[in-house]
Amino acid sequence: MKRIFAGLALLMAAATAQAEDVTTYMLDNGMEVVVIEDNRAPVVVHMVWYKVGSADEPVGASGVAHFLEHLLFKATDVLEAGEFSETVAANGGTDNAFTSYDYTAYFQRIAADRLELMMQMESNRMNNLVITAEDVETERQVVLEERNQRTENNAGALAQEQFRAAQFQNHRYGVPVIGWKHEMEQLDLQDALDFYDLYYSPNNAVLVVAGDVVPEDVLALAKKYYGVIPAEDQLPVRERPQEPPQRAERRITYEDPRVSQPYLIRSYLAPERDPGAQEEAAALVYLADLLGGSSFTSALGQALQFDTQTAVYTNASYSGASLDSGLFYLYVVPAEGVSLSQAEAAMDAEIARFLEAPIDPERMESLRTQMRASEIYAKDDTQALARRYGAALTQSLTVEDVQAWPDILQSVTAEDVKAVAAKVLNRNQAVTGWIVANQEEAR
């Protein structure tokens, strides 16, 4: 039995060491092209990523990046409004788009022999969008309703907005991706056109094609459809206002009668993944698991949920896939009869204990195995791989950084985790929030 497990470990290690087959090109107009070859199924994922997100919006026009994403499904000089998605569906594919703080991306998943059609349509709307004031008015109501459904009607989402605004007081990460409602209501045609004309250009875009393709054929198609689009010579340097040093803890009590059970959240500023410097981020992935990854094995789960029954739920998470600062989160839902102040004190006591006590070597090895397996399974999802590379390249990382990540994860030691924990788990760079239904629960 031991020999079987040893063999499995060797197979997993070999699979992890073998990076996916990635080929990169740069078109003359500055557009990056990434091809991930996977010939196991006659399917292709075609994605165009723009290096612009909500954190790049002009002050006072929050939500315009997401708003423009919606407008790109309107008419172009050769396509009617809605015809893009209808054509994808008619050819047996699916398509969509998404906006984040650092990027906006558009994708189609379709039979490999339809790739040229996807490039033809996607390249067309990069430079030839035709939007009217009527389109703007109609779509503005759509995104406002989206905000109503996802945010205004969700006490937790509203609270999270307030936490981020408190955490990022100078950086645009403190502004919601969908936008502040009062600014969304004022977005007009010129806002959308200005954003589109400046940022939707080949030298601000990454083309990612993954699936049953030949890299040289993809390059030929990219040159044919994207290579003829002129570069934007006025594209600004991607610089954002940065956070000044946070020197004191910030606290928020968010009250909303829709909160069914009080809970607390704490977020800490944390290092993001940077090119050639991903080691701290990798250690933070382990820290999140060790502190709150599982109620049965994590420090918070064991101490608060099982040993003392102070909480009914605990969790920790790390968000480091970003161009600028990341965040490390802790969550605790107190047990019945336990106040938020008692739950917070118990959480802080366990964090202090974790910082002092040694980390179990067997637990570290178990996490390494889980992460190795996760990286292997990820290779079976072509769309997820395409998304991994697209997100990385729009957040300053390189192909080499993406391919080095699994090995960096495997090299994390207990000492690395302890060092990054001591650095990040600092109340002076945190926001602590209590979410309650009424003031009586805020104690």
Side-chain angles (χ1 to χ4, degrees):
M1 184 64 70
K2 288 183 179 179
R3 285 197 296 271
I4 292 173
F5 281 122
L8 286 173
L10 286 173
L11 287 172
M12 291 175 70
T16 302
Q18 183 181 0
E20 45 275 354
D21 191 1
V22 177
T23 307
T24 61
Y25 305 99
M26 181 70 74
L27 302 186
D28 291 342
N29 58 10
M31 187 173 190
E32 297 176 69
V33 180
V34 177
V35 184
I36 307 168
E37 192 173 358
D38 181 353
N39 306 119
R40 290 177 292 179
V43 175
V44 68
V45 176
H46 172 263
M47 309 187 83
V48 172
W49 296 71
Y50 293 97
K51 297 179 183 180
V52 64
S54 65
D56 302 293
E57 295 166 339
V59 174
S62 66
V64 69
H66 173 252
F67 185 41
L68 182 58
E69 174 213 308
H70 279 244
L71 290 170
L72 243 70
F73 291 88
K74 299 297 183 180
T76 71
D77 59 346
V78 297
L79 294 170
E80 299 294 332
E83 187 178 353
F84 190 112
S85 294
E86 290 170 3
T87 302
V88 174
N91 281 271
T94 58
D95 75 316
N96 214 324
F98 47 88
T99 304
S100 186
Y101 291 104
D102 299 319
Y103 51 72
T104 311
Y106 302 82
F107 70 90
Q108 303 86 42
R109 181 180 176 89
I110 201 161
D113 61 0
R114 303 296 196 275
L115 176 60
E116 182 169 5
L117 176 60
M118 298 302 102
M119 283 207 191
Q120 181 182 5
M121 293 196 300
E122 193 67 81
S123 63
N124 173 247
R125 68 176 173 180
M126 178 182 283
N127 221 28
N128 299 292
L129 190 62
V130 178
I131 51 177
T132 65
E134 183 180 354
D135 290 332
V136 168
E137 183 59 36
T138 301
E139 211 58 37
R140 188 197 299 116
Q141 297 308 312
V142 171
V143 295
L144 283 168
E145 181 56 29
E146 182 179 338
R147 181 181 167 88
N148 285 336
Q149 291 179 359
R150 296 185 177 184
T151 308
E152 302 294 338
N153 292 330
N154 186 323
L158 286 171
Q160 184 64 36
E161 277 192 347
Q162 296 302 308
F163 297 154
R164 287 195 70 99
Q167 185 83 75
F168 295 103
Q169 296 186 347
N170 198 50
H171 195 288
R172 294 288 290 181
Y173 284 169
V175 177
V177 172
I178 198 167
W180 296 119
K181 186 174 183 180
H182 67 285
E183 293 184 351
M184 294 168 65
E185 292 170 341
Q186 303 303 315
L187 293 174
D188 60 22
L189 177 60
Q190 198 59 50
D191 291 325
L193 289 175
D194 289 347
F195 204 76
Y196 175 72
D197 291 341
L198 183 60
Y199 291 112
Y200 278 54
S201 51
N203 51 321
N204 197 44
V206 180
L207 170 64
V208 181
V209 177
D212 189 19
V213 294
V214 176
E216 293 79 6
D217 294 344
V218 174
L219 176 60
L221 290 173
K223 287 180 175 178
K224 178 179 179 180
Y225 291 105
Y226 294 105
V228 297
I229 302 173
E232 173 56 64
D233 59 5
Q234 300 300 312
L235 187 68
V237 176
R238 200 175 194 190
E239 294 179 342
R240 296 162 168 177
Q242 297 299 304
E243 284 294 300
Q246 183 179 335
R247 304 187 189 281
E249 182 183 10
R250 299 164 188 163
R251 299 189 66 89
I252 289 176
T253 299
Y254 185 81
E255 182 181 348
D256 190 312
R258 296 173 295 181
V259 174
S260 59
Q261 187 168 9
Y263 61 98
L264 73 89
I265 298 177
R266 182 179 295 154
S267 60
Y268 301 85
L269 288 174
E272 72 280 4
R273 288 173 62 184
D274 284 327
Q278 303 181 88
E279 288 75 14
E280 284 190 326
L284 283 164
V285 173
Y286 279 79
L287 179 62
D289 263 308
L290 289 166
L291 270 182
S294 165
S295 59
F296 296 103
T297 58
S298 68
L300 291 177
Q302 281 284 341
L304 273 63
Q305 293 181 243
F306 293 101
D307 294 347
T308 65
Q309 298 184 350
T310 302
V312 295
Y313 174 79
T314 60
N315 189 250
S317 65
Y318 167 58
S319 174
S322 55
L323 182 60
D324 298 312
S325 294
L327 290 172
F328 190 91
Y329 290 98
L330 298 173
Y331 306 82
V332 175
V333 180
E336 186 175 355
V338 177
S339 69
L340 285 168
S341 58
Q342 290 170 328
E344 184 177 344
M347 179 183 77
D348 286 329
E350 183 54 29
I351 292 171
R353 189 208 64 79
F354 178 87
L355 291 172
E356 293 297 326
I359 296 175
D360 182 1
E362 290 188 6
R363 180 66 183 135
M364 284 292 296
E365 193 57 38
S366 174
L367 287 176
R368 281 196 194 91
T369 302
Q370 290 174 28
M371 291 180 192
R372 187 184 301 125
S374 178
E375 291 296 323
I376 293 170
Y377 297 145
K379 297 177 186 296
D380 288 330
D381 190 333
T382 303
Q383 187 163 326
L385 279 179
R387 185 162 182 159
R388 174 180 293 193
Y389 280 90
L393 291 170
T394 53
Q395 294 173 322
S396 83
L397 297 176
T398 65
V399 169
E400 292 73 24
D401 290 319
V402 176
Q403 297 194 334
W405 180 245
D407 288 338
I408 292 173
L409 283 173
Q410 290 302 303
S411 68
V412 172
T413 66
E415 291 73 22
D416 296 330
V417 176
K418 280 302 187 80
V420 80
K423 175 180 178 179
V424 170
L425 301 178
N426 177 355
R427 295 276 290 271
N428 286 335
Q429 58 186 22
V431 175
T432 302
W434 290 1
I435 299 89
V436 297
N438 53 64
Q439 281 299 315
E440 292 181 3
E441 295 178 340
R443 57 184 178 82

